[in-house]
Structure formats: structure tokens, C-alpha cells
Amino acid sequence: ADGRLVVIEMNPRVSRSSALASKATGFPIAKIAAKLAIGYTLDEIANDITGGATPASFEPTIDYVVTKIPRFAFEKFPGTPAVLGTQMQSVGEAMAIGRTFPESLQKGMRSLEQGRLGLNCDPGEALFDELDDAELLAAAAIGTPDRPFQLEALLRRGVGVDRVYEATRVDPWFLDQILMIVEERAHLADTGLVGMTRADWRRAKRLGFGDAQLAYLWGVDEQTV
């Protein structure tokens, strides 16, 4: 709120996030880090992506969105509260690539292989049906692995972005992106399988809706979709 920055952790090393960033951008971080360790400077190292036309100090430019989603397995640690903080608690992560943030987000949710078909629009969303708006908002205010799904459910119920932001402090940009998924879901539900045009299919896919999600939404078989 006031612009103050707090560094939680900073390590000058190659971590598993570095490997993921290399995959996401094509930039050989480990190779560059090894050369820096023996005394080279960034402006002395050729950029593999541009074929040496620019030095390695130039940032890679990409025309797609990469989303990294941590995978949590609190069910393996009975008695441990599933509340996220500054301590490392994930057991792995998934990386997804899409043309839009909603597409990469929904792909990432599927890639976690925890039984979810995307950002809700699947049988797992029934988990939130028993909570009223106030209870769901209170739950989303606590950082847990379920928070992204709770945010989508709140926005789908018509709870405004501003109110969700005030309760959760999730940046409004991300809430707006999730709202795009919510609005597209409503459009798909109204359109139905028969009414889908080529443009409708393209938009649904660009926002990350999988065939299984659409089958659930329309009450048909996934193979039909």
C-alpha cells in the first residue's frame, strides 16, 4: 500500500526456479551462471538466442505467457495447517505456456495432476457450495492452495473485484484476469455446444478451457466436445 519493499529471501545461485525460467525463455541460465562464476561479465558472453548479435545482458523477449504454479501435498503431513507463508512448503511445481494469462493459468491447474480440470468448471468446485459469500470471502483471505479456486468462485457469485481485493489483497490485475474466465464461462453456458461458432471455440481455448471442462459445463461426454 505504501510502496515499501521487503526482501524475504535472495540467493545468488541457480535454483529450480532458474531451470524453469530457462525452459520458459530459452535462455541458458545455468550456462551463463557458470561463466559468471569463473570471472566473465555479462557483456562479454554471447547471447545464444540471438546468435551472438547481442550480449547475454539483453533480456529475452517472449510473445507468450508462462505461469508457474507450485504443487502442495499437505495431505501427506497430517496435523500441519495448509496455510502458506514465507517458508518453502511446495513439493514441486507445474509450468504452463499460453497466449494469454487465463490460458496458461488454467493449463497450469490441470498440470498439477490433483484432479482439477482447470480453474473450477469441474466437479471439484462443489466444495465451495456449502459456504455463503461471507464465509468464502473469509476463507480466501487466508493464503492456502485453494485460494485461486475460491477467488474464481467469489467472482462467479458476483462479488466485486474491489471487495475481493480488500479482503484478500490479491492484485486487481489478477482478479480481472480471473474475471475474464468467469465471464467466458457464463457466455459458454448460454451458447451451448450446438451454438458454438469457430470464433467461440477459439476464444474458449485462448482462455484455457479444456474439453473436459466444457463437457462438464454442457453436461455432455468429453469425446463429443
Side-chain angles (χ1 to χ4, degrees), residues 14-180:
V14 175
S15 66
R16 78 177 188 200
S17 296
S18 305
L20 185 140
S22 282
K23 292 176 187 175
T25 62
F27 192 86
I29 293 175
K31 175 181 174 181
I32 301 300
K35 290 188 174 183
L36 294 175
I38 60 173
Y40 283 94
T41 57
L42 276 174
D43 59 327
E44 295 176 319
I45 304 172
N47 189 328
D48 288 353
I49 300 175
T50 60
T54 56
S57 53
F58 278 63
E59 286 189 33
T61 302
I62 56 178
D63 61 350
Y64 48 86
V65 180
V66 181
T67 303
K68 179 180 88 165
I69 303 181
R71 190 184 198 281
F72 300 99
F74 285 104
E75 66 277 2
K76 294 181 180 179
F77 308 102
T80 303
V83 177
L84 309 178
T86 58
Q87 186 178 357
M88 166 77 167
Q89 290 175 292
S90 66
V91 296
E93 58 203 11
M95 183 185 98
I97 299 177
R99 286 292 177 189
T100 66
F101 175 72
E103 180 185 2
S104 63
L105 176 64
Q106 294 224 73
K107 281 183 177 180
M109 291 301 183
R110 285 193 285 279
S111 299
L112 291 174
E113 297 182 346
Q114 292 181 316
R116 300 308 301 265
L117 304 178
L119 192 64
N120 290 332
C121 201
D122 64 4
E125 69 182 17
L127 184 67
F128 308 121
D129 289 347
E130 59 196 42
L131 303 176
D132 62 29
D133 290 358
E135 290 172 328
L136 189 54
L137 202 59
I142 302 169
T144 69
D146 286 331
R147 178 185 261 181
F149 302 101
Q150 294 166 342
L151 295 175
E152 192 277 342
L154 282 165
L155 294 171
R156 185 158 31 93
R157 291 184 182 188
V159 179
V161 167
D162 290 342
R163 187 179 171 196
V164 175
Y165 166 71
E166 286 297 327
T168 65
R169 291 297 168 181
V170 172
D171 193 286
W173 187 89
F174 292 104
L175 297 177
D176 281 332
Q177 295 291 306
I178 294 174
L179 186 60
M180 289 173 61

